[in-house]
Structures are given as C-alpha cells and as structure tokens.
Amino acid sequence: MVYAIKQINNSTDILPNVMLGFKLYDSCYNEVRSLLGTTWITSGKKEGVPNYNCHSDMPSAIVGDIASKSSIPIARILGLYQFPQVSYASSHPILSDKILFPSFLRTVSNDIYEALAIARLVKYFNWTWIGVITSDNELRELRYMILNREIEANGGCIAFMETLPTYTSMESVIRTIDIIKKSRATVIIVYTTMENLIPLIEQAYFHNLSNKVWIGSSSWSISSDFPRKEILTILNGSLSIMPTSGKIPGFKEFLYSFHQSNYLDGVFIKMFWEEAFGCIWPGDDLYNDTSARTFIEEKHFCTGKERLESLDTTVYDVYNLRYTYKAYLATYSIVHALQQMYSCKPGQGPFKNGSCANIYNHQPWQLLYYIKHVKFNDTAGEAISFDENGDFPLHMDILNWQILPNGSSQYVKIGSFDGRSPKGHELQLDQNKILWNGGKVPLSICTDPCPVGYRRSILQGQKICCFDCLSCSEGEVLNPFDDAQCMMCSEDKMPDISKEECIPKPIQFLAYEDTLGLSLAFIAIILCLLTFSILCLFLMKNKTPIVKANNRELSYLLLISLMLCFLCSLIFIGRPTTITCMLRQVVFGVIFSVCLSVILAKTVTVIMVFNATKPNSKIRKLVGLRIPIYIVPCFTMVQIVLCIFWLANTSPFVEFNMRAEIGKIIVECNEGSIFLFSCVLGYMGFLASISLLVAFLARKLPDTFNEAKFITFSMLVFASVWLTFIPAYLSTRGRLMVAVEIFAILTSSFGLLVCIFFPKCYIILLRPEMNNKIFITGKIITKKP
C-alpha cells in the first residue's frame, strides 16, 4: 500500500496535483485490537469514542484487514457509516452479505469458491478417499459441508474430518496423526491456521508420513512461516490453492532498498535483519546478558552492509507476491475511484441532478459508490472490477511445493482455477510441471478399482467409496455411466471378453464360404451332373427296350425333376433374403411333388400294362386312355395351389434369430405358417405313401425287369430319409438346421436316382446283351437237350 501511494504521488496520469497520505495500524490478528483501531481511525482519538469525530483529515477508505476474524468486526462498524473498506486477504463467505456489510469489498475470492476449486482439483486426479483437517473456527462446518457436497457429487468420499482446537494441544495433534497413519487416504486437505499447521506438520515429519499429499488452502504459506526448514521435506509434492499473483513494476527494487539505516526507529526492520542474516546489532541489550553471550558469539554482528538480494526466497520472497499484489490492487481500486470522482463534470455525475462529489470534501458513501463501480486494468492488462457482492472474480493459482535435488525449495505454479471460464473448463493444469514425492501421481482410494467386467457392491454401513466387486451376469456389461451397475446388452449385441462394452453379435448363416456350405454345394452340382449324364445316356439309347420300358417320357421327366431337386438345394445356401425365403420351400415342394407324381405314374403304368394282358381284363380299355400321363399334372397342381395359398397368406420371411445360439445372430427363414409348411411336407409324404403302396402291390408281377421293385426300394429310402430328417431338423439350430434339410433333399433325391436308374444304366453300359425285349418281358424259351 505504501509503495502504491508513493507511485501514485509521483505519477502525472492519476490524480495530478493531488497528494495521498496514509496511516498504518497493526491489528495483530486480534479482534479487540481491530475494533480499537477502527474507533481510533474513525474518531481521530487514540481512546476512540463511538459516533464522535475530531478529525481534521478523515481517511477516505481503509485497506485491510488480513484475517477475516479481524475484518468482520471492522466491517460491522464501518458499514454503519457507509465507510469504504477494501480487504486484500479476508475470504469469509459472510462478508459477501451486503445487508450485514454494505461497505465491505475485497480483492480476493469468497472462501466458498476456494473449497469448490479444491474439490475440482481432487476430481481431476481421481482421488476418491480424502482426509480433511480443519481448525476449530466458524468456517469449519461450512467448509466441510461444501467439500463433502462437491466431493460426493464427483463420486468421492471424505474418509475422516479432524478438528484442531484454536489453541493447539499436542494431544489433539497426536490423535490426528494416528488417524492419518491408519487411514488409506493419501490426500489430506488442510484448512488450518499456521498455529495449527506447524505442530501438525512437525509431527508428520517425525512419524515419516512422506507418502501423503497435503492440499493447502490460502490461509497458510509453506515458505515463510516454518521455523525448521528441514521439516518442509514432508510437504514435498504437496499442492496449494493460492490467490493469483501479479507483477508490480519496480516493487522488487523497492523491497531491496529497505535498510535499517533508513528506518532508525524501525524495530521490526532490526528484528528482520537479525533473523534474515543470522546476526545481532552491536549494543543490543542481550549482549550484556552473560548467560546469552555464548549464543551471541556463535553469530556475528550485523554490519548494515548485508545485501537483501543474497537472501533465499524462502526468507525474503520478492517474486511470489500474492497477498501483496492483492493489497496493491485494493489500493489502486480506491485511487481509481478517487480519479473518477476527480474527473467528474457537473451535470454528468452519478448523484442527484447529475451532481459530483468534491474529492477534497466528500462523504464516505460517495466514495463507496465510486469504488463499487470502479473499472480499471491491472498490470497484466486484465479488467478489474467488483461484483454485486463486492467480490473479485474467482481466479486462483494452483501451486506445487517442490524440494529440489540441491536442497532448495520453491513454489511452482502448475495451473489455475478460473471461475469465469465455461463450466467444466475452470481448472487448467500442466501435469508436466508437477513434482510428486513418489515420482508419480499418487492414489487415494478406499478400495482398489474393480477388475474389468466387475461392478461395485456397496458394503452395508460403509461409504460408497468402500465396496466389494461382483462379476456382471451373463449377457451383461458394466454400465459406463455407473460402475455400481451392470446393464444387459441388446438382443443384437453381446458382451466382449472383458465385459466392458457390448459388441455386435456375429451374424451366422450357411454361406458358400463355409466348408459345410461349399461341400454341400459341390455335392449338389456333382449329383446334378450325374443325373444329366444319365439323361443324356437315356436320350442316346432311347430306342432300346430298357429305356422304352415303363414310359420313357416319364423317365425323362423324372430325371429332369431330380436335376432340379439337386439344384434347388443351392437356394438354401447363402444369406437368406426375402426372395430366397419365399422360393426355398415352394420350389423344393413343387419339384419333389413332380418327382413323386412321376414315380406314382410309372407305378400305375406297370400295373395297368401287366393287368391288361389278362384275358377279359377291363383295364385293357383304360390303357388306350393314357391315364398315367394325367397323374403328374393333377397331383402336382394340388401342391402348386397349396403353395400359392401359403405365399398369399403367410409367406416366409427373413428373421434374425438371436436366441438360437448364445452370442450369435442366426439369419434364417421364418416359414410364416408352420401349419401350411407342414401341409406342403405332408402332401409330399402322402404322395410317397401312395407310390410306396402301389409299388409294393406290384412288386411280384412276373417280369424279369420289374421296375415296381426298384420303385418300392426308392420309396422306402425316401421315407427313411424324411422320417429321420424330421427329428434331426427339430433338434438343430442355425445353419445346421439348413444343412440337415439340404442333406435330406440330396439324400432322398440320390436314393430315387440310384434305385430307379442305376439298374438300367448297369444293363445299358455293362450288360448290353440283356437290353432286349425278350429279357425285359422275361419270355426266354430254353430248349432241353
């Protein structure tokens, strides 16, 4: 304040031709003395009298006090007179109440926001198990409430909260140290005065609590108050929330210019000199004390030539000017208010009828108005103003206390907390500048984090930070927004191996890329080519009796139908689509119905031919009508009509089956109507049953090459395959279900091909001498010798 006033008096830009003076009063951190000083300043008498003023030059404003406990009684009295008071260190939240303290302003932030900044700092490093130590004062409960609310909102907990009495007792300190040693909390927030802090840290040093991270508030400073510097090693890596510092041009040189010779009556300068340089001034009364002479001889006499520039910054820190800078801003806020008052033009003033206040004879409330509305730029060019509560905008520095390898120590600014920034971006840190005691970011947790895929289970009677770990159930993953809950994956997803997130289930169907799908497709094509080869053979030998027997046109139609049966199995392979789902069963049902109808027609032909040869047979008249030819279209048409009705009402469609196999999505065809699908299969079974019955009745006809026997065998094979297929089809899932149906189609079709056509191919290719009418009809006459 003194330097700022001298600087302003030497300036021609601010308050030209106006000289500022000052009076200094030390309240000694005592409420009673602060009240005495207030009455002295307001009344002008050392023994002040309330409401009595004998001043010839009443001060314009008061800068101070430091401690909130001193500022509060001062502000209560000054508020009655609307007398401006600007503090540079008092941060008690109650001072923001303008009803109780209408004339109080400050250049530091509200204490509530300091607690908010500490809570955000704790959240930044994911510290969830925090210890709190506070002094027994009026802010204890308020600070704890704010810290507890903010820390719990971020998922953390306060492990313990210990209160040290105003007058520190060693018993309370030892008890607190014992609690700290037993707790898993690594981070300790300290809201204490220096009177409480020093014995606490000394005991922490003696008990070697070097694994703790201490977070200090702005109420204490490590560098200047500790009597034994070696104890500071216990605070290595600790963090502190401090008001922002700023540059004061020329102030360092001003501080270095202090000398005892300049202040002959400055008892504090003499004491400081002796403490800083470890010397004693000659002629000191202590020197005449024989009992103290040995102690004095260990030191040296002060010469007055010692240089302040040589002092360690822990003794005389001219760079870390935080509250000094706030006092500088407090002084300049009053000066700029006076400047606005001085520059006021009549008719343009802020008071009644545009009047201005007289800078040489103004009322306290008039200056208070100007201070409340003052706006100016600090040395860094940032805008300075007070809010409606008389507070400065929240802006604090985050400091890291570091012990360097050479034994020296320092505060290092590692970031800041700016309440004016957007929400979530108030805290800015540079972790590369932090020097932790253990070399890495410490953990401060009650329970180790749960393994991946495990959820937190709160222990009964414990805080939420202490928990058990339980595995998520099958099909569940850990909730990314709440690690105490698991959530079920959607049907189309499944947990990954670590149960951290839901991943899409693999889609499965019988594909051509699969070994099984490729094998079935290859077999189908080979069998189709084999059938085609037999058809070509029959076309080449179409004039021979073995081909002409039992209606060669029906044989051709049967071979073509079997070829299509083999090929229709290819529709079942590949990813199902709406078209393929509609065609699968319909094409298969119609083609197989053609095959069975042809077989039935061939069987009826055998019976009619042999029965027509009997004398007086009535069937002879029916032979000429070629009745078997009409069997095929008639019986096939029934199946076609049934399939059309099926497609028109409940046609098959693509379905994503997520329950058939765990962890897979089966793309399959839903038949739409199980009843109609069963009708299609049942009709084929009906045709096979008739064919089997008719062929069985004709198995003993007197023919050397009795095709009815082969038809009977083929129907038995067909029936065996499909009777086996039904339980196998119902017991399988996914692509195996489709493979079973393809296998049934290929096997039954191949059974028909083998039983009906392989005997004929055998005669055509290997026994051509048997391919004649005599052998076929069985009328071979053997001559007896």
Side-chain angles (χ1 to χ4, degrees):
M1 185 189 74
V2 173
Y3 173 73
I5 290 176
K6 288 184 176 182
Q7 193 179 46
I8 292 164
N9 287 338
N10 293 329
S11 173
T12 58
D13 297 327
I14 302 178
L15 297 177
N17 301 319
V18 176
M19 294 295 291
L20 300 178
F22 58 87
K23 292 183 178 181
L24 301 178
Y25 182 84
D26 189 359
S27 64
C28 298
Y29 285 89
N30 184 279
E31 294 92 328
V32 175
R33 283 188 59 86
S34 67
L35 286 171
L36 291 174
T38 303
T39 55
W40 169 64
I41 292 172
T42 54
S43 65
K45 294 180 67 67
K46 186 174 183 181
E47 300 295 334
V49 180
N51 296 321
Y52 181 79
N53 184 358
C54 64
H55 267 296
S56 59
D57 53 346
M58 178 73 172
S60 297
I62 288 180
V63 176
D65 197 358
I66 294 179
S68 295
K69 65 180 182 179
S70 299
S71 289
I72 289 174
I74 295 173
R76 289 189 189 277
I77 295 176
L78 297 183
L80 299 174
Y81 302 101
Q82 295 287 300
F83 194 92
Q85 175 189 359
V86 185
S87 175
Y88 54 91
S90 299
S91 56
H92 197 296
I94 197 174
L95 290 167
S96 295
D97 189 339
K98 294 301 104 181
I99 296 177
L100 296 177
F101 309 100
S103 63
F104 179 84
L105 302 99
R106 53 186 166 191
T107 55
V108 291
S109 57
N110 190 320
D111 226 349
I112 291 178
Y113 300 111
E114 183 178 291
L116 177 63
I118 291 177
R120 296 289 175 84
L121 185 65
V122 167
K123 178 186 177 182
Y124 182 88
F125 291 107
N126 294 320
W127 293 326
T128 58
W129 196 235
I130 313 299
V132 178
I133 301 174
T134 182
S135 295
D136 188 11
N137 54 36
E138 70 280 0
L139 279 179
R140 175 172 60 88
E141 293 297 333
L142 179 60
R143 284 169 170 167
Y144 176 76
M145 181 182 67
I146 296 171
L147 273 175
N148 189 57
R149 182 190 65 197
E150 293 295 329
I151 289 175
E152 286 190 354
N154 297 329
C157 306
I158 291 182
F160 61 85
M161 202 278 279
E162 286 298 306
T163 302
L164 297 176
T166 304
Y167 300 100
T168 306
S169 67
M170 191 54 61
E171 180 183 353
S172 63
V173 173
I174 295 297
R175 186 192 71 249
T176 302
I177 291 295
D178 187 55
I179 291 173
I180 294 173
K181 289 173 65 176
K182 292 178 180 179
S183 176
R184 290 198 64 182
T186 306
V187 176
I188 313 296
I189 298 173
V190 183
Y191 264 127
T192 66
T193 61
M194 290 305 299
E195 293 85 354
N196 288 144
L197 178 68
I198 292 174
L200 177 70
I201 298 303
E202 284 180 343
Q203 288 300 315
Y205 173 77
F206 295 144
H207 287 82
N208 194 27
L209 296 181
S210 58
N211 62 331
K212 304 297 181 182
V213 176
W214 307 83
I215 299 182
S217 65
S218 57
S219 59
W220 52 273
S221 172
I222 292 176
S223 60
S224 60
D225 295 292
F226 275 84
R228 298 175 57 185
K229 302 306 178 185
E230 69 273 10
I231 293 177
L232 294 178
T233 56
I234 204 71
L235 295 172
N236 184 35
S238 295
L239 305 176
S240 181
I241 306 291
M242 288 289 182
T244 53
S245 63
K247 293 182 179 180
I248 304 176
F251 189 59
K252 180 180 71 172
E253 291 74 17
F254 174 74
L255 292 177
Y256 282 148
S257 69
F258 276 106
H259 196 275
Q260 189 269 344
S261 60
N262 298 337
Y263 299 89
L264 298 178
D265 58 345
V267 60
F268 293 113
I269 292 294
K270 291 182 63 176
M271 292 173 60
F272 166 74
W273 209 268
E274 292 179 349
E275 178 69 24
F277 294 104
C279 61
I280 186 169
W281 290 101
D284 195 294
D285 292 338
L286 186 63
Y287 186 73
N288 298 322
D289 187 353
T290 306
S291 62
R293 188 167 296 175
T294 302
F295 169 73
I296 294 172
E297 289 175 353
E298 292 177 359
K299 296 189 176 183
H300 60 276
F301 287 109
C302 301
T303 64
K305 297 181 180 180
E306 292 85 2
R307 297 180 60 83
L308 292 173
E309 294 92 327
S310 64
L311 290 177
D312 185 11
T313 56
T314 58
V315 177
Y316 197 57
D317 190 354
V318 297
Y319 300 97
N320 191 23
L321 305 173
R322 297 188 180 278
Y323 288 113
T324 306
Y325 180 65
K326 297 299 182 182
Y328 182 80
L329 293 179
T331 306
Y332 261 87
S333 65
I334 298 172
V335 171
H336 278 280
L338 290 171
Q339 173 66 31
Q340 292 178 14
M341 183 187 294
Y342 180 76
S343 304
C344 179
K345 296 181 180 179
Q348 299 179 6
F351 307 115
K352 188 177 181 180
N353 299 323
S355 61
C356 298
N358 186 349
I359 190 173
Y360 301 107
N361 185 22
H362 62 270
Q363 296 297 317
W365 61 268
Q366 291 175 318
L367 178 58
L368 178 62
Y369 173 86
Y370 279 105
I371 296 176
K372 284 183 176 180
H373 296 86
V374 73
K375 291 183 179 180
F376 64 98
N377 292 332
D378 61 8
T379 55
E382 294 187 3
I384 299 297
S385 62
F386 297 98
D387 63 16
E388 65 275 9
N389 296 321
D391 296 334
F392 254 32
L394 174 61
H395 193 192
M396 309 193 78
D397 287 342
I398 313 296
L399 307 179
N400 179 221
W401 180 250
Q402 299 178 358
I403 306 295
L404 302 179
N406 60 6
S408 62
S409 56
Q410 62 179 356
Y411 261 133
V412 176
K413 179 181 176 181
I414 59 171
S416 63
F417 186 88
D418 191 348
R420 299 166 294 183
S421 300
K423 188 174 181 180
H425 297 82
E426 300 95 339
L427 185 65
Q428 299 292 331
L429 286 180
D430 185 358
Q431 291 200 55
N432 295 326
K433 292 183 178 180
I434 303 177
L435 184 63
W436 299 109
N437 203 14
K440 60 180 181 180
V441 181
L443 290 174
S444 189
I445 54 178
C446 178
T447 306
D448 291 330
C450 289
V452 176
Y454 285 74
R455 66 176 179 86
R456 288 190 296 111
S457 177
I458 306 301
L459 296 173
Q460 188 173 4
Q462 298 288 332
K463 294 189 177 183
I464 60 173
C465 299
C466 304
F467 48 84
D468 277 338
C469 296
L470 301 178
S471 176
C472 290
S473 302
E474 189 68 32
E476 292 183 337
V477 296
L478 190 65
N479 191 331
F481 305 104
D482 185 1
D483 58 0
Q485 292 182 345
C486 295
M487 63 180 187
M488 184 67 70
C489 291
S490 58
E491 286 191 345
D492 60 337
K493 293 184 178 181
M494 66 177 184
D496 59 2
I497 297 177
S498 60
K499 292 188 177 181
E500 282 187 289
E501 60 178 344
C502 295
I503 58 176
K505 290 181 179 178
I507 296 177
Q508 191 179 68
F509 53 88
L510 188 62
Y512 286 102
E513 292 78 11
D514 296 340
T515 303
L516 181 60
L518 184 63
S519 301
L520 291 174
F522 180 76
I523 293 171
I525 293 173
I526 293 298
L527 294 178
C528 180
L529 294 176
L530 177 62
T531 308
F532 180 73
S533 301
I534 295 174
L535 176 62
C536 293
L537 180 64
F538 272 47
L539 290 174
M540 292 172 58
K541 304 294 183 177
N542 64 340
K543 300 297 184 180
T544 60
I546 196 71
V547 175
K548 294 167 69 176
N550 279 5
N551 198 325
R552 57 187 171 187
E553 287 79 9
L554 289 176
S555 297
Y556 298 157
L557 181 59
L558 180 57
L559 286 170
I560 293 173
S561 299
L562 289 174
M563 288 173 58
L564 295 177
C565 283
F566 292 130
L567 292 178
C568 80
S569 63
L570 300 178
I571 306 176
F572 289 80
I573 304 175
R575 178 162 183 158
T577 63
T578 303
I579 300 299
T580 56
C581 285
M582 294 176 64
L583 291 178
R584 279 184 180 183
Q585 306 297 350
V586 171
V587 172
F588 155 67
V590 171
I591 294 175
F592 248 88
S593 296
V594 172
C595 291
L596 295 174
S597 299
V598 170
I599 292 173
L600 179 61
K602 289 174 72 66
T603 308
V604 171
T605 300
V606 172
I607 293 175
M608 290 180 64
V609 169
F610 279 91
N611 287 325
T613 58
K614 294 180 180 180
N616 301 321
S617 175
K618 297 180 179 180
I619 298 179
R620 184 180 299 179
K621 299 177 180 179
L622 299 175
V623 174
L625 298 177
R626 300 177 64 83
I627 292 177
I629 298 298
Y630 302 104
I631 292 177
V632 176
C634 291
F635 281 93
T636 303
M637 187 56 64
V638 174
Q639 183 72 292
I640 292 174
V641 171
L642 191 60
C643 290
I644 291 174
F645 181 77
W646 181 17
L647 294 177
N649 287 274
T650 53
S651 62
F653 57 89
V654 180
E655 181 181 48
F656 292 88
N657 192 334
M658 302 173 190
R659 299 183 180 87
E661 293 188 35
I662 297 176
K664 296 178 182 178
I665 299 177
I666 307 300
V667 185
E668 60 186 15
C669 291
N670 188 308
E671 309 307 341
S673 173
I674 299 298
F675 173 74
L676 292 177
F677 176 55
S678 301
C679 290
V680 170
L681 294 180
Y683 181 72
M684 289 190 294
F686 170 73
L687 291 179
S689 300
I690 294 177
S691 300
L692 176 60
L693 179 61
V694 174
F696 180 76
L697 296 175
R699 73 189 186 283
K700 294 183 179 180
L701 291 176
D703 196 3
T704 302
F705 190 84
N706 188 353
E707 196 171 21
K709 294 180 181 180
F710 302 122
I711 293 175
T712 302
F713 291 144
S714 67
M715 289 298 97
L716 288 173
V717 172
F718 182 88
S720 300
V721 170
W722 286 98
L723 287 176
T724 306
F725 158 76
I726 293 174
Y729 183 80
L730 296 176
S731 62
T732 54
R733 293 289 182 271
R735 60 180 188 152
L736 294 180
M737 180 186 288
V738 180
V740 166
E741 188 169 0
I742 294 174
F743 182 77
I745 294 173
L746 296 178
T747 305
S748 57
S749 300
F750 185 66
L752 295 179
L753 183 67
V754 170
C755 293
I756 296 176
F757 291 101
F758 272 30
K760 295 183 179 182
C761 293
Y762 172 76
I763 292 174
I764 294 173
L765 295 175
L766 301 179
R767 300 296 296 274
E769 70 277 5
M770 298 173 62
N771 191 3
N772 55 67
K773 187 175 182 179
I774 296 174
F775 176 80
I776 297 302
T777 57
K779 296 178 180 181
I780 302 176
I781 300 174
T782 9
K783 295 181 180 180
K784 296 181 179 180

